[in-house]
Amino acid sequence: MKLKTILKKAFLLVGFFGLLATSAIAQFQQDPVVSPEIHDDGSVTFRIMADTADSVKISGSWMQGFGAAEHLEIGEKGIWELTISDLKPDFYNYSYNVDGVRTIDPHNPWVIRDVRNTFSAFILPGKESENVQLSDQKNGTIHEIWYPSPTLNMDQRRMKVYLPPNYNESDEDYPVLYLLHGGGGDENAWTELGFADRIMDNLIHSGKAEPMIVVMTNGNPNQTSAWHVAPGHQPARETDSPNPMATERFEESLVADVIPFIESNYRIKSGKENRAVTGLSMGGWQTQKLSLKHPDVFDYYGVMSMGIIEETQFGMDAQAHLELTNQNISDLKESGYQLYWIACGTDDFLFESVNNMREVLDSHDFDYTYRETDGGHTWDRWRLYLSEFAPMLFR
Amino acid sequence: MKLKTILKKAFLLVGFFGLLATSAIAQFQQDPVVSPEIHDDGSVTFRIMADTADSVKISGSWMQGFGAAEHLEIGEKGIWELTISDLKPDFYNYSYNVDGVRTIDPHNPWVIRDVRNTFSAFILPGKESENVQLSDQKNGTIHEIWYPSPTLNMDQRRMKVYLPPNYNESDEDYPVLYLLHGGGGDENAWTELGFADRIMDNLIHSGKAEPMIVVMTNGNPNQTSAWHVAPGHQPARETDSPNPMATERFEESLVADVIPFIESNYRIKSGKENRAVTGLSMGGWQTQKLSLKHPDVFDYYGVMSMGIIEETQFGMDAQAHLELTNQNISDLKESGYQLYWIACGTDDFLFESVNNMREVLDSHDFDYTYRETDGGHTWDRWRLYLSEFAPMLFR
């Protein structure tokens, strides 16, 4: 076939299937550049077509340290390439830097967003990444819902609700895990970055966890939803800074608005023995606050990667929190709870804050379970912690 | 403050809020580059920091013609910039090309995916874009569900179901619109690119459309879901070509699997008078097939940007379709229907195929409503068509 004929056919073919005209042809032609390519031995080759570039680097979530990057080498036809070995099966993300400009991998359609940055994504299959793989058995359901929040003076806020695999087929009532994200995150974080739905599906199918509902709402009291869902309905960008997240307004709204909404809209087992809360980083701080201020609401607490800080420059009054802790621990002990679980990685820059918390708790003879892992302040830890925390609930 | 202190504080601040360590600091510091910046007069400035680049271009969904692009100019501090005026209020997407490498806007966290390509996105607010803006009134709900498809021999396939604003608060039954995407699209297309949920919310709130449920499933019979949702559970990439989409297996599965699932899992008004189907491009082809092969199932049909093609190289047997049309139009007329609506843009490369279809229908004295617009084979048309089609249903 002549080139012109091929191009004409390609154009017809592509346009025919209803694509954006400006990007059409590239979409259906087999992309000549495959990236990332996952090899049978578990190594991964990253590529990018950049024939006029002087330098291409990759930064990946498997690399240690801020700003870590590796150079790709240019090969044939302007395609830069790097093969990485010895990665553990897991979910990973990465970005390129082409001549000083950060970019996602243009050959990989899977893109995730973390706070304000976008990354290309892949799963390296294997035993250790089974919990983030789609189950072969019946999957659970995700509801994207808007709920009223009088406490935050908002007519509606967005949340995601995970229903376990057989919710729709059964008449049973279920316990609920309230799953909180970190600073800068939003109601999408635990599904898009934490794979909470798949982890729960896999844990439930294997009998490791009880069937439960998981509620993921937006922990930033100055947002109605993930920013991009409602750009015209958000506070000005200047107020997107972390400080408003550190108030206790979200915790108040969780107890006053979210829990009643969930319990009147889903088939829920009532009582604190059927409620758990866990969160990472800012969500771990909020979990502590909930345990101290609302000791009658939950029976299970999971504090991930967060302790008691001494600095106050974050707009979160650490000294007041410490005093609250001292005051309210006896209330919490008196009210009782099934599990107070604290997890942190030894490389986490908040590891010391967790030590601070443990000292305070120990000084009160407060019962808790401590789980120390390797690793830092990253999503691979929080996926692991959810996989370990959920099986301990509602037994 | 000394730089070291600032950096230390920035690092603590950022890490404290639970971010990916490798990308942390940039995320909470105010990005010095704002892009896109929407000005009060409706003009939009695009920017990118690329101080070592030789050339930066932008391609936007408002540009006409394949490969259309405009150059940005380099200004202070290595920031390239271009201001565009006279855009109509609408949803738009765009990408940059930096020294020959296609990239999204690294300063804009809103990224969408269309087939295999990613784009940066924004909404230009105004009267004409009101239908894609989040409503101030109560929003509807989206369910992400996995349903069994015996017809396609799949244990589970993914779909999205839109429930109108007061579904959960009422006991009413609802009619259903089955909303089909185009070739290369998937069950996410109508919400992420078509804003179907917001359009329906706005139409329902203004009283322009009846409250209805909208079902968006995956029209590719060789996929279980959008590719990235289940990368390990999809056919090999080679079979991702359009041809399998053009079989009638999806249409069979819609009638045999999807409709019964919806009608047994939601509060649905029964009967063909409470069912509508519409789709764009490939989905318009599927809508035609459904009308001809299953004339007793729907009372409302919307064929968007698709007619009868004469070529057969797409793997879709156009000749057989034409014969079917001739044979089955009388069945369809006999069975009866409320509305057969056909919409196309005069710049659509399938405009001629729509003329072909109208000729065939006219030769059979077949009743239909024809809506001709300007524009081509693009999502701004399909959002408009949904806004016009939905109000005609179930009245």
Side-chain angles (χ1 to χ4, degrees):
Chain A
M1 257 191 311
K2 285 182 187 160
L3 180 62
K4 202 173 160 187
T5 316
I6 295 173
L7 282 178
K8 191 183 163 201
K9 287 204 174 190
F11 184 73
L12 281 170
L13 174 65
V14 154
F16 181 73
F17 279 97
L19 303 172
L20 286 169
T22 50
S23 66
I25 286 185
Q27 303 222 24
F28 271 120
Q29 289 178 326
Q30 182 80 33
D31 188 338
V33 181
V34 176
S35 179
E37 182 179 2
I38 296 171
H39 305 285
D40 289 342
D41 66 357
S43 62
V44 183
T45 299
F46 301 91
R47 298 187 180 93
I48 181 172
M49 167 85 80
D51 49 7
T52 63
D54 294 322
S55 153
V56 177
K57 291 186 283 188
I58 181 172
S59 292
S61 57
W62 59 89
M63 297 177 187
Q64 300 298 320
F66 178 73
E70 289 192 53
H71 282 274
L72 278 68
E73 299 280 338
I74 191 162
E76 281 179 12
K77 299 178 185 172
I79 300 171
W80 299 70
E81 185 174 305
L82 176 70
T83 298
I84 306 235
S85 301
D86 300 325
L87 283 183
K88 194 181 62 175
D90 202 345
F91 166 80
Y92 293 103
N93 63 56
Y94 64 101
S95 60
Y96 291 138
N97 188 305
V98 180
D99 285 353
V101 177
R102 186 184 180 284
T103 177
I104 54 169
D105 181 345
H107 310 291
N108 180 357
W110 190 3
V111 174
I112 58 160
R113 176 186 56 84
D114 191 15
V115 191
R116 289 194 164 271
N117 280 340
T118 43
F119 301 86
S120 298
F122 68 100
I123 290 176
L124 185 61
K127 183 78 188 157
E128 292 126 305
S129 62
E130 271 177 0
N131 65 349
V132 298
Q133 302 270 5
L134 195 68
S135 165
D136 283 327
Q137 297 178 66
K138 186 169 181 359
N139 299 311
T141 296
I142 296 280
H143 288 184
E144 296 177 13
I145 293 182
W146 296 82
Y147 69 96
S149 180
T151 304
L152 298 178
N153 198 25
M154 290 174 183
D155 289 341
Q156 43 192 350
R157 301 187 82 229
R158 190 161 171 265
M159 68 162 92
K160 293 204 175 195
V161 179
Y162 163 87
L163 302 179
N166 290 308
Y167 182 90
N168 288 322
E169 288 73 23
S170 88
D171 291 325
E172 277 181 47
D173 295 338
Y174 292 87
V176 184
L177 168 61
Y178 293 84
L179 186 57
L180 312 181
H181 59 76
D186 53 52
E187 73 277 14
N188 291 350
W190 262 110
T191 49
E192 290 182 12
L193 306 167
F195 293 91
D197 46 345
R198 297 195 190 177
I199 290 172
M200 292 310 304
D201 282 347
N202 286 309
L203 290 174
I204 292 168
H205 285 314
S206 66
K208 288 180 188 156
E210 294 293 318
M212 66 185 83
I213 290 171
V214 181
V215 173
M216 296 158 279
T217 186
N218 188 308
N220 310 301
N222 62 337
Q223 283 192 337
T224 62
S225 68
W227 173 87
H228 71 286
V229 173
H233 292 246
Q234 301 293 354
R237 194 168 171 187
E238 285 66 30
T239 66
D240 261 351
S241 68
N243 290 0
M245 307 175 195
T247 68
E248 291 173 42
R249 298 181 65 224
F250 168 71
E251 293 88 307
E252 295 298 326
S253 77
L254 184 76
V255 171
D257 303 333
V258 177
I259 293 177
F261 178 88
I262 291 295
E263 301 200 349
S264 68
N265 280 278
Y266 292 93
R267 298 196 315 272
I268 302 294
K269 286 185 179 166
S270 62
K272 70 181 281 190
E273 65 271 29
N274 293 303
R275 293 191 208 110
V277 61
T278 185
L280 63 100
S281 198
M282 179 182 83
W285 178 271
Q286 291 168 335
T287 299
Q288 291 180 55
K289 288 278 190 181
L290 285 162
S291 74
L292 296 168
K293 285 274 188 102
H294 303 277
D296 295 328
V297 178
F298 304 96
D299 234 354
Y300 301 85
Y301 301 96
V303 178
M304 303 178 179
S305 303
M306 184 73 225
I308 297 174
I309 48 166
E310 285 160 2
E311 303 85 353
T312 59
Q313 68 265 40
F314 308 122
M316 298 163 66
D317 194 333
Q319 188 57 38
H321 180 66
L322 188 58
E323 283 164 19
L324 175 75
T325 306
N326 284 315
Q327 257 177 37
N328 292 25
I329 278 182
S330 57
D331 294 349
L332 180 54
K333 285 170 75 169
E334 195 173 323
S335 175
Y337 52 90
Q338 290 291 325
L339 178 66
Y340 208 100
W341 192 74
I342 297 165
C344 196
T346 50
D347 293 332
D348 196 313
F349 76 103
L350 289 174
F351 183 63
E352 190 57 32
S353 81
V354 173
N355 284 341
N356 293 344
M357 172 164 60
R358 292 175 60 206
E359 276 174 29
V360 172
L361 297 178
D362 288 341
S363 74
H364 289 271
D365 280 330
F366 183 87
D367 263 341
Y368 62 90
T369 304
Y370 176 55
R371 167 71 166 120
E372 189 173 288
T373 68
D374 58 1
H377 206 73
T378 53
W379 272 104
D380 65 336
R381 299 298 88 186
W382 304 322
R383 291 189 291 266
L384 173 69
Y385 298 162
L386 176 61
S387 304
E388 297 189 3
F389 182 66
M392 294 185 278
L393 306 178
F394 314 125
R395 297 283 193 182
Chain B
M1 256 190 314
K2 284 184 188 161
L3 180 64
K4 201 172 160 188
T5 315
I6 294 172
L7 282 177
K8 191 184 163 201
K9 287 205 173 187
F11 184 73
L12 280 170
L13 174 66
V14 154
F16 180 73
F17 279 97
L19 304 172
L20 287 168
T22 50
S23 65
I25 287 184
Q27 303 221 24
F28 271 120
Q29 289 179 325
Q30 183 80 32
D31 189 338
V33 182
V34 176
S35 179
E37 182 180 1
I38 297 171
H39 305 286
D40 289 341
D41 66 358
S43 62
V44 183
T45 300
F46 300 91
R47 298 188 180 91
I48 181 172
M49 167 84 81
D51 50 6
T52 63
D54 295 320
S55 152
V56 178
K57 290 186 286 188
I58 181 171
S59 292
S61 58
W62 59 89
M63 296 177 188
Q64 299 298 320
F66 179 73
E70 289 191 54
H71 282 275
L72 278 69
E73 300 281 338
I74 191 161
E76 281 180 11
K77 299 179 185 171
I79 299 171
W80 299 69
E81 185 174 304
L82 176 71
T83 297
I84 307 237
S85 301
D86 301 324
L87 284 183
K88 194 182 63 176
D90 202 346
F91 166 79
Y92 293 103
N93 64 56
Y94 64 100
S95 61
Y96 292 138
N97 188 306
V98 179
D99 286 352
V101 177
R102 185 183 181 285
T103 176
I104 53 168
D105 181 346
H107 310 291
N108 180 355
W110 190 4
V111 174
I112 59 160
R113 176 186 55 85
D114 190 16
V115 191
R116 290 195 162 271
N117 280 340
T118 43
F119 301 87
S120 298
F122 68 99
I123 290 175
L124 186 60
K127 182 79 188 156
E128 293 125 305
S129 63
E130 271 177 359
N131 66 348
V132 297
Q133 301 270 5
L134 194 70
S135 165
D136 282 328
Q137 297 178 66
K138 187 169 181 357
N139 300 311
T141 296
I142 295 280
H143 288 184
E144 297 177 12
I145 291 181
W146 296 81
Y147 69 97
S149 180
T151 304
L152 298 178
N153 199 24
M154 291 173 181
D155 288 341
Q156 46 191 348
R157 302 186 82 230
R158 191 162 170 267
M159 69 162 92
K160 293 204 175 195
V161 179
Y162 163 87
L163 303 179
N166 291 309
Y167 182 90
N168 287 322
E169 288 73 22
S170 88
D171 291 326
E172 278 180 47
D173 295 339
Y174 292 87
V176 184
L177 167 61
Y178 294 85
L179 186 57
L180 312 180
H181 59 77
D186 53 52
E187 74 277 14
N188 290 350
W190 264 111
T191 48
E192 291 182 12
L193 306 167
F195 292 93
D197 46 344
R198 296 195 191 177
I199 290 172
M200 293 309 304
D201 282 347
N202 286 308
L203 291 175
I204 292 167
H205 286 313
S206 66
K208 288 180 187 156
E210 294 291 319
M212 66 186 81
I213 289 171
V214 181
V215 173
M216 296 158 279
T217 183
N218 188 309
N220 310 301
N222 63 337
Q223 283 191 340
T224 61
S225 69
W227 173 86
H228 71 285
V229 172
H233 291 247
Q234 301 293 354
R237 193 168 172 186
E238 284 66 31
T239 66
D240 260 352
S241 70
N243 291 0
M245 306 175 197
T247 68
E248 291 173 42
R249 298 181 64 223
F250 168 71
E251 293 89 307
E252 295 298 326
S253 78
L254 185 74
V255 171
D257 303 333
V258 177
I259 293 177
F261 178 88
I262 291 295
E263 300 200 350
S264 68
N265 280 277
Y266 293 93
R267 299 195 314 273
I268 302 295
K269 286 184 179 166
S270 62
K272 69 181 284 192
E273 66 270 27
N274 293 304
R275 292 191 208 109
V277 61
T278 187
L280 64 100
S281 198
M282 180 182 83
W285 178 272
Q286 291 167 334
T287 299
Q288 291 180 55
K289 288 277 190 182
L290 286 161
S291 74
L292 297 167
K293 286 274 187 101
H294 303 278
D296 296 328
V297 178
F298 304 96
D299 234 354
Y300 301 86
Y301 301 96
V303 179
M304 302 178 180
S305 304
M306 183 73 224
I308 296 175
I309 49 166
E310 284 159 2
E311 303 86 352
T312 59
Q313 70 264 40
F314 307 124
M316 298 163 65
D317 194 330
Q319 189 56 38
H321 180 65
L322 188 58
E323 284 164 19
L324 174 74
T325 307
N326 284 315
Q327 259 176 39
N328 291 25
I329 278 182
S330 57
D331 294 349
L332 181 53
K333 285 169 76 170
E334 195 173 325
S335 175
Y337 53 90
Q338 290 291 326
L339 177 67
Y340 208 100
W341 192 75
I342 298 165
C344 196
T346 49
D347 293 332
D348 197 313
F349 77 103
L350 289 175
F351 183 61
E352 190 56 32
S353 80
V354 173
N355 284 341
N356 294 343
M357 172 164 58
R358 292 175 60 208
E359 276 174 29
V360 171
L361 297 178
D362 288 341
S363 74
H364 288 272
D365 280 331
F366 183 88
D367 263 341
Y368 63 89
T369 305
Y370 176 54
R371 167 70 166 122
E372 191 173 286
T373 67
D374 58 1
H377 206 72
T378 53
W379 272 104
D380 65 337
R381 299 298 86 185
W382 305 322
R383 291 189 292 266
L384 173 69
Y385 298 161
L386 176 62
S387 304
E388 297 190 1
F389 182 66
M392 295 185 277
L393 306 178
F394 314 125
R395 296 283 192 180

